[in-house]
């Protein structure tokens, strides 16, 4: 496959403790964790967070193979950070320190990203969308399209695998017609991609049109008056997990 | 609630017209009137462009008619409460992908009752019952991406049933499915109808699978009702109205006329098949596939030790279920897949795998993917047809000739060159897409399901074109579920199952293997009939062609 080895936002149901948490609790916890990891400076703090990540993956009952595969799209960012920092740091002359800092920064980013990757892996797309909907709803009062944004994210998660397949098929078809997608300089390559992009956009627009009609036919009128098959229920464990995450984040600042 | 007695038809269409755009350049619908009673099952038949999709949207209250009214339970659909309307009429469209909004099965089935604002427990009950009615309960925790096409469409149907509608409108709902998927949907519809559901099926052909269940047929042509009557009356009129009868019905009719009863009267028929001129082909092998294997990254086989020959001037069909390795095999032929094990000889030479030679190969071997009309991207047909030959290095006069060649192969008039592909009809776009591969003058053309989703007239056009290309000496390879096409049009058939080759041979030689590999619902009517006769009468030959079947019978 040319374009289907990306596993963005693929939900893996295992029924673990993390899977059963309220999506709002997970979203909040993730926010806490990210804001704690970002400013962390020491190797100890990083080791601490790595240990927690290992624990979280273990509890989620999702295999490392899947977690790593799902992290593949962010690896580019990690490697970029590594190389960029290495060049920047060693510019000053101290190569040893440069390598050390850049490895530290890249690992920090990697740990952070993998926490983020765990969220869609352990949360069904609709739950995730509902969680976002709930968290964004205060903003709706100031005119922010909270429900629509959450719905959009939910739909995007549904359609990503399909669009990947479609892109793959169009690429193959155009290669068959002699398109040179992988040759020439950057401008030629971008230009060569038009025969892929244009049909893809046509398909997306046509699908969007059809989906809108199908949604209307099923009685969708926006968020107002909609109920849920599984309404979000905030449980004691959700509060506990959130408090724990807050405490852990606090502790990591001291480390 | 409105006054409802059983005399009020569920739906009453009164002189409805519809025109797209401001300019009155031909109406999509012109004074259409009919009614549908509660519990009826009707078919609205029409070829592409007959206005049936517009009618569907009007019946569903999704667009308003330009003139006339459409009453649902006696109320004008335009004045009806939105929620009330959505509880009354449910719609299933052609492409299941465009109807499923959630990534998980249960979440999607819950969409309509959630929109109705029902309590959670009621929603769950509706979801459970809807999934049960379409036989999808075992998939309730599955992700939508993991479903087959037929399962997706059944989920779309469940999503509508969960709204507890009184009437179902299906717009070509089985056109994109394989025979098994089609049959599963038909089964679900039959049960729903038996339970009192009103069903309106909008389609371009009535298949054997639902002929007996439909009460009434309305034929739509150029926006007007051309004919309406019972299914039995339609039977006699079908050919006159431009529709092909399924072979099973032609046969039933034949038996009826001759006073034969099936299969009892065929037990003693002794028939001999006229052996088709069995001259062994002397044409050279275009492709020689030798012990080809291919594995996915997870080490499972997509192809396993395949040996095959594709000849010049021959039309070969590759048959197999979804996932049998058909598309992996053909995509090796123009190096979209790189050879892992084994080899492929093209005109006696090893198939190039990289570099400039691959581009030359792709000019010589044209690949037409499923629904190729989705790959069109140019502002005009001329530019679309120029893409492949230009990439192959054709210039100036050579290029102009190539464009005309592609256009003529597809049987399209010159005027098409300056039109925009997007503005064409579905069938015309398919022809342009095929022409855009042919314009590079390939020696071998591979087509994946070239007839899928087309109406009979475009199917005939494409079959004719492929026959002519074969007679020009090109190698034609079709990958298909369509046994009618494979048996009646191609010269040889290659059968794949679970990544391995089962058999390769002339159509009449491979019938038994085909019947082993594919479910009975995928067998052509004639083959099924002859197999049934053969069960009681071992002398009766297996045949796939209607004329042959009749010839065998009349030999007594």
């Amino acid at each position: 496959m040319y374009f289907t080895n990306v596993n963005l936002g693929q939900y893996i149901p295992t029924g673990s403790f993390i899977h059963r948490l309220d999506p709002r609790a997970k979203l909040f916890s993730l926010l806490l964790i990210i804001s704690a990891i970002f400013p962390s400076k020491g190797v100890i703090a990083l080791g601490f967070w790595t240990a927690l990540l290992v624990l979280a993956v273990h509890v989620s009952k999702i295999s490392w193979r899947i977690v790593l595969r799902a992290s593949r799209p962010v690896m580019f960012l990690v490697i970029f950070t590594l190389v960029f920092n290495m060049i920047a740091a060693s510019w000053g002359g101290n190569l040893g320190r440069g390598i050390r800092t850049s490895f530290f920064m890249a690992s920090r980013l990697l740990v952070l990203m993998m926490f983020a990757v765990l969220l869609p892996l352990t949360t069904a797309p609709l739950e995730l969308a509902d969680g976002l909907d709930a968290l964004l709803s205060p903003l709706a009062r100031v005119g922010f399209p909270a429900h629509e944004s959450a719905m959009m994210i939910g739909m995007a998660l549904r359609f990503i695998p399909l669009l990947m397949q479609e892109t793959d098929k169009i690429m193959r078809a155009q290669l068959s017609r002699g398109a040179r997608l992988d040759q020439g300089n950057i401008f030629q390559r971008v230009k060569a991609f038009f025969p892929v992009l244009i049909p893809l956009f046509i398909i997306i627009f046509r699908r969007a049109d059809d989906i809108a009609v199908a949604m209307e036919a099923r009685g969708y009128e926006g968020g107002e008056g909609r109920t849920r098959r599984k309404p979000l229920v905030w449980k004691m464990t959700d509060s506990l997990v959130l408090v724990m995450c807050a405490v852990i984040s606090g502790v990591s600042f001291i480390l | 609630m409105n006054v409802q007695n059983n005399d009020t038809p569920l739906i009453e269409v009164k002189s409805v017209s519809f025109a797209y755009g401001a300019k009155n350049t031909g109406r999509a619908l012109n004074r259409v009137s009919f009614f549908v009673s509660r519990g009826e099952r009707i078919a609205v038949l029409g070829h592409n462009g007959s206005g049936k999709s517009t009618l569907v949207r009007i019946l569903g209250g999704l667009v308003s008619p330009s003139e006339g009214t459409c009453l649902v339970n006696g109320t004008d659909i335009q004045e009806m409460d939105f929620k009330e309307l959505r509880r009354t009429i449910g719609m299933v469209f052609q492409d299941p992908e465009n109807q499923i909004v959630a990534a998980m099965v249960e979440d999607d089935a819950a969409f309509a009752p959630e929109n109705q604002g029902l309590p959670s427990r009621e929603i769950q009950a509706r979801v459970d019952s809807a999934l049960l009615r379409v036989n999808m309960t075992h998939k309730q925790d599955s992700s939508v991406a993991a479903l087959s096409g037929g399962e997706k469409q059944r989920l779309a149907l469940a999503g509508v049933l969960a709204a507890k509608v009184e009437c179902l409108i299906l717009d070509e709902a089985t056109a994109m499915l394989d025979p098994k998927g089609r049959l599963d949907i038909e089964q679900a519809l039959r049960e729903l109808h038996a339970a009192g559901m009103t069903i309106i099926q909008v389609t371009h052909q009535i298949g054997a699978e639902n002929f007996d269940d439909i009460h009434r047929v309305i034929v739509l042509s150029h926006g007007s009702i051309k004919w309406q009557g019972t299914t039995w009356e339609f039977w006699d009129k079908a050919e006159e109205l431009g529709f092909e009868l399924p072979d099973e019905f032609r046969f039933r009719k034949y038996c009826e006329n001759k006073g034969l009863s099936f299969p009892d009267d065929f037990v003693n028929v002794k028939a001999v098949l006229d052996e088709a001129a069995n001259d062994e082909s002397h044409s050279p092998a275009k492709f020689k596939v030798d012990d080809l294997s291919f594995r996915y990254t997870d080490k499972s086989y997509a192809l396993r030790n395949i040996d095959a020959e594709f000849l010049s001037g021959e039309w070969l069909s590759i048959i197999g279920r979804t996932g049998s390795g058909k598309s992996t095999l053909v995509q090796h032929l123009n190096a979209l897949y790189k050879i892992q094990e084994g080899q492929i000889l093209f005109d006696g030479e090893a198939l190039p795998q990289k570099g400039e030679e691959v581009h030359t190969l792709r000019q010589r071997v044209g690949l037409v993917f499923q629904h190729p009309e989705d790959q069109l991207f140019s502002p005009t047909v001329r530019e679309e047809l120029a893409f492949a030959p230009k990439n192959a290095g054709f210039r100036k006069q050579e290029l102009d000739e190539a464009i005309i060649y592609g256009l003529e192969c597809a049987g399209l008039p010159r005027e098409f060159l300056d039109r925009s592909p997007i503005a064409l009809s579905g069938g015309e776009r398919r022809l342009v897409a095929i022409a855009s591969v042919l314009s590079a003058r390939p020696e071998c053309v591979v087509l994946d399901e070239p007839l899928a989703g087309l109406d009979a007239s475009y199917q005939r056009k494409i079959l004719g074109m492929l026959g002519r290309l074969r007679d020009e000496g090109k190698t034609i390879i079709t990958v298909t579920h369509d046994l009618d096409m494979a048996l009646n049009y191609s010269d040889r058939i290659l059968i794949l199952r679970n990544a391995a080759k089962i058999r390769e041979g002339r159509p009449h030689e491979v019938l038994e293997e085909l019947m082993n590999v594919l479910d009975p619902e995928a067998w052509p009517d004639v083959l099924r009939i002859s197999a049934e006769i053969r069960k009681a009468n071992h002398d009766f030959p297996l045949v796939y062609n209607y004329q042959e079947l009749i010839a065998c019978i009349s030999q007594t």
Side-chain angles (χ1 to χ4, degrees):
Chain A
M1 289 280 162
Y2 285 89
F3 209 72
T4 48
N5 46 8
V6 193
N7 268 22
L8 253 166
Q10 212 66 300
Y11 172 56
I12 312 282
T14 65
S16 78
F17 175 74
I18 298 185
H19 284 74
R20 291 197 306 270
L21 285 175
D22 189 289
R24 288 167 294 183
K26 283 189 261 190
L27 278 162
F28 256 130
S29 305
L30 183 65
L31 266 174
L32 281 172
I33 291 171
I34 289 177
S35 46
I37 298 181
F38 244 125
S40 67
K41 288 258 157 25
V43 181
I44 304 171
L46 185 63
F48 174 71
W49 280 115
T50 312
L52 281 172
L53 175 68
V54 172
L55 182 73
V57 172
H58 180 75
V59 173
S60 76
K61 295 184 191 162
I62 291 176
S63 79
W64 276 98
R65 204 170 51 84
I66 293 171
V67 177
L68 289 173
R69 205 176 57 199
S71 314
R72 210 183 287 165
V74 299
M75 286 299 179
F76 169 76
L77 203 63
V78 172
I79 291 168
F80 179 78
T81 313
L82 184 71
V83 174
F84 186 79
N85 275 302
M86 218 182 266
I87 294 168
S90 50
W91 209 260
N94 192 337
L95 188 65
R97 224 188 92 215
I99 291 176
R100 258 202 315 275
T101 15
S102 53
F103 263 102
F104 175 77
M105 287 172 91
S107 330
R108 193 177 62 185
L109 187 66
L110 185 65
V111 172
L112 187 151
M113 288 296 193
M114 281 167 94
F115 269 112
V117 158
L118 267 184
L119 181 71
L121 285 176
T122 59
T123 316
L126 193 77
E127 266 183 73
L128 198 60
D130 282 351
L132 278 170
D133 197 346
L135 289 186
L136 294 173
S137 59
L139 293 176
R141 261 176 248 150
V142 293
F144 182 78
H147 167 76
E148 288 75 10
S149 311
M151 188 76 194
M152 252 164 57
I153 291 170
M155 299 274 280
L157 289 171
R158 144 89 179 96
F159 282 98
I160 282 169
L162 187 66
L163 288 179
M164 296 277 175
Q165 275 172 28
E166 252 150 20
T167 312
D168 180 73
K169 198 179 113 183
I170 297 171
M171 280 174 75
R172 282 170 189 276
Q174 308 302 32
L175 282 169
S176 289
R177 290 165 73 190
R180 289 160 199 259
L181 299 179
D182 44 5
Q183 289 170 12
N185 63 37
I186 183 87
F187 294 106
Q188 285 166 328
R189 281 187 193 211
V190 169
K191 193 164 165 258
F193 242 84
F194 278 114
V196 177
L197 289 179
I198 294 170
L200 193 64
F201 274 104
I202 295 174
I203 288 176
I204 290 173
F205 283 122
R206 208 177 44 222
R207 276 204 192 285
D209 212 34
D210 285 356
I211 292 162
V213 169
M215 284 170 77
E216 192 189 335
R218 287 169 77 184
Y220 180 70
E221 296 175 281
E224 204 109 328
R226 247 174 82 79
T227 48
R228 297 284 192 275
R229 180 175 70 96
K230 279 202 250 170
L232 300 179
V233 186
W234 189 270
K235 298 175 294 292
M236 194 58 171
T237 41
D238 296 310
S239 309
L240 275 173
V241 165
L242 195 56
V243 170
M244 243 165 63
C245 277
V247 171
I248 292 170
S249 305
V251 169
S252 89
F253 275 116
I254 306 167
L255 287 172
Chain B
M1 272 282 160
N2 287 286
V3 203
Q4 270 186 36
N5 53 45
N6 284 334
D7 299 337
T8 334
L10 183 64
I11 294 176
E12 200 174 353
V13 177
K14 284 183 172 171
S15 191
V16 160
S17 299
F18 186 84
Y20 285 101
K23 273 182 269 171
N24 226 343
T25 50
R27 289 168 156 187
L29 285 179
N30 193 13
R31 288 199 214 125
V32 169
S33 303
F34 64 94
F35 67 93
V36 183
S37 307
R38 238 167 284 273
E40 250 195 317
R41 184 166 174 186
I42 73 164
V44 176
L45 272 179
H47 293 302
N48 296 345
S50 57
K52 54 187 164 53
S53 301
T54 313
L55 181 62
V56 166
R57 290 188 172 208
I58 288 175
L59 289 175
L62 300 166
V63 296
S64 349
S66 324
E67 284 166 38
T69 48
C70 178
L71 305 178
V72 173
N73 277 331
T75 313
D76 187 341
I77 203 166
Q78 296 307 309
E79 284 150 25
M80 215 168 158
D81 171 56
F82 181 76
K83 284 208 158 64
E84 170 77 26
L85 173 62
R86 303 277 67 108
R87 276 194 296 266
T88 312
I89 293 180
M91 312 181 75
V92 182
F93 299 95
Q94 182 170 5
D95 188 348
E97 299 285 9
N98 294 349
Q99 303 166 69
I100 298 174
V101 293
M104 306 299 289
V105 166
E106 279 193 302
D107 291 339
D108 185 70
F111 186 68
E114 285 182 343
N115 289 332
Q116 292 179 6
L118 297 170
S120 307
R121 218 202 257 154
E122 171 70 12
I123 296 176
Q124 186 63 54
R126 296 255 188 122
V127 167
D128 291 343
S129 117
L131 289 176
L132 184 68
R133 290 175 95 176
V134 299
N135 195 17
M136 282 284 286
T137 305
H138 59 297
K139 294 278 183 184
Q140 59 183 17
D141 296 320
S142 174
S143 107
V144 170
L147 301 181
S148 73
E151 287 168 341
K152 282 179 185 159
Q153 193 63 303
R154 276 189 282 155
L155 173 59
L157 181 56
V160 173
L161 295 178
K164 282 223 172 138
V165 293
E166 295 173 49
C167 172
L168 269 179
I169 301 176
L170 298 109
D171 186 5
E172 297 287 7
T174 57
M176 289 177 77
L177 308 182
D178 62 10
K180 176 87 174 74
R182 210 171 297 161
L183 220 73
D184 287 339
I185 290 280
E186 277 308 325
Q187 178 68 25
L189 290 180
R190 205 169 296 137
E191 284 164 20
L192 286 167
H193 179 239
M197 180 77 76
T198 310
I199 299 176
I200 304 174
Q201 223 157 339
V202 180
T203 173
H204 61 69
Q205 62 187 13
I206 298 189
E209 68 274 9
N210 57 21
F211 202 93
D212 289 332
D213 302 307
I214 291 167
H215 303 147
R216 213 147 52 85
V217 178
I218 294 173
V219 176
L220 210 57
S221 172
H222 302 291
S224 306
I225 293 183
K226 190 175 172 189
W227 185 88
Q228 54 180 320
T230 66
T231 315
W232 294 100
E233 289 164 351
F234 174 73
W235 193 349
D236 294 323
K237 284 275 197 171
E239 265 153 29
E240 203 179 306
L241 290 164
F243 293 92
E244 274 172 27
L245 274 183
D247 282 337
E248 194 184 321
F249 288 92
R250 285 167 69 189
F251 183 65
R252 270 204 226 167
K253 211 168 164 182
Y254 175 85
C255 292
E256 210 169 79
N257 289 343
K258 298 260 168 180
L260 295 165
S261 92
F262 174 81
D264 306 344
D265 280 341
F266 297 97
V267 176
N268 296 315
V269 172
K270 280 207 174 10
V272 198
L273 205 56
D274 286 338
E275 276 303 308
N278 214 347
D279 61 320
E280 271 310 307
S281 219
H282 295 293
S283 50
K286 195 80 193 164
F287 282 103
K288 197 168 182 315
V289 178
D290 194 7
D291 204 20
L292 185 73
S293 293
F294 188 87
R295 289 198 215 195
Y296 294 121
T297 37
D298 66 355
K299 298 289 170 211
S300 64
Y301 279 97
L303 293 173
R304 197 164 195 161
N305 309 104
I306 304 285
D307 292 311
E309 275 191 0
F310 309 138
L311 312 180
S312 295
E314 179 196 66
W315 179 345
L316 178 112
S317 282
I318 303 180
I319 302 266
R321 291 163 184 257
T322 312
S324 58
K326 294 174 294 186
S327 32
T328 314
L329 174 59
V330 293
Q331 289 188 43
H332 270 91
L333 300 181
N334 73 354
L336 279 176
Y337 277 110
K338 305 286 179 238
I339 297 172
Q340 289 178 347
E341 277 171 58
Q343 65 167 352
I344 300 175
L345 296 180
F346 179 47
D347 274 348
E349 281 172 37
L351 200 71
Q353 295 293 294
K354 56 178 189 221
E356 202 50 33
E357 283 174 312
V358 168
H359 282 282
T360 318
L361 173 69
R362 287 180 182 157
Q363 178 261 313
R364 295 174 66 191
V365 182
L367 215 76
V368 180
F369 281 78
Q370 209 168 343
H371 298 291
E373 57 278 16
D374 288 347
Q375 286 120 40
L376 303 178
F377 65 94
S378 306
T380 64
V381 171
R382 183 192 305 275
E383 286 160 89
E384 196 67 58
L385 298 197
F387 184 65
K390 238 187 199 164
N391 287 329
F394 290 38
R395 294 290 176 269
K396 292 184 184 133
Q397 200 192 336
E398 210 181 11
L399 181 62
D400 290 339
E401 281 170 12
I403 293 170
I404 297 300
Y405 172 77
L407 198 71
E408 281 175 353
C409 282
L412 293 167
R414 297 276 172 111
E415 301 89 85
F416 266 67
L417 285 177
D418 296 313
R419 291 176 66 177
S420 159
I422 298 179
L424 303 175
S425 78
E428 289 166 343
R429 281 216 305 274
R430 174 78 52 92
L431 288 175
V432 168
I434 296 176
S436 77
V437 171
L438 294 175
S439 58
R441 296 181 184 270
E443 298 151 41
C444 169
V445 190
V446 184
L447 305 99
D448 191 350
E449 295 291 0
L451 307 185
L454 293 181
D455 66 14
S457 73
Y458 278 100
Q459 292 195 353
R460 273 194 299 272
K461 279 185 191 170
I462 287 175
L463 288 170
M465 158 173 53
L466 296 181
R468 283 192 301 277
L469 291 168
R470 182 245 333 258
D471 297 342
E472 273 177 32
K474 291 191 197 301
T475 307
I476 306 292
I477 300 171
T478 46
V479 176
T480 184
H481 282 119
D482 185 343
L483 280 188
D484 262 323
M485 169 177 83
L487 291 168
N488 287 309
Y489 292 88
S490 54
D491 304 307
R492 271 187 325 132
I493 290 178
L494 170 67
I495 307 171
L496 294 180
R497 176 164 65 189
N498 299 335
K501 178 173 124 179
I502 299 292
R503 180 81 197 265
E504 185 182 1
R506 287 168 179 282
H508 63 88
E509 296 167 348
V510 300
L511 293 175
E512 303 243 2
E513 284 85 355
L514 276 179
M515 290 162 69
N516 282 331
V517 168
L518 300 174
D519 295 324
E521 50 262 38
W523 303 353
D525 291 350
V526 174
L527 184 58
R528 199 169 36 231
I529 291 165
S530 70
E532 221 161 299
I533 299 176
R534 196 179 161 89
K535 254 190 236 160
N537 174 359
H538 296 288
D539 295 329
F540 199 84
L542 284 175
V543 290
Y544 51 83
N545 178 288
Y546 185 76
Q547 272 71 35
E548 247 174 11
L549 176 71
I550 300 300
C552 285
I553 291 168
S554 48
Q555 275 176 24
T556 39

